[in-house]
Amino acid sequence: MYTILYSIIDKLLLLDPIPWQNIFHTETPPTAEDYDDCRENIFAQRYPAAVPNQIIPQKDLQKYTGKYYADGYGYAEILIKENTLYLFYRDGLCEIIPYWGGVFKVSQLKEDILTLDLPLSFLQKEGVVIGFHVPFEPMTADIAFWRIENRVL
C-alpha cells in the first residue's frame, strides 16, 4: 500500500522516482526515522528571495494572536512564547517566522508523513487581523482560517 502511495506522492510533487518497493519490502520493517525524509519547503518555492524580519516589536506581534477556525480543518491558535509567534494546530506547536513584505513562514509543520515549511499570510480589515491563509493542500487554493471572534460558527 505505501509503495503505491509514495509513488503517487512523488509524481504529484514532481520528484525523481524512488524504488519504494525495495524500501518497504525489506526483511526488517521500517522505523519512524525512515519517514523523516519527507520534507517539503513550500515557503521557499513561493518566496525564494524572502528575507527574515527580525525587528518586529512584541506589541506588533500581539495583533496576530488568537483562535481561528476553518471548516474541514478545525481550530488553530496563534500565540506568543518568548517573543516568538507560534501556530498551535492539531496538537503540534510550530514556530512562525516573520519575513519582510508581510509574509510569515510556519516552520516544521507535521502533516501525515510530511514535514512542511509553509507560507502564512494574515488577512486584515481596517488594520484588524480577521484571519490567515496557508497552503495545506497543494492542489487547491490556500485554506482560510477565520478569527473566531469575527465569525459565527
Side-chain angles (χ1 to χ4, degrees), residues 74-89:
Y75 295 93
E77 184 174 359
I78 306 286
L79 51 103
I80 296 176
K81 182 178 175 183
E82 298 175 5
N83 205 32
T84 302
L85 281 177
Y86 287 90
L87 171 67
F88 183 71
Y89 178 68

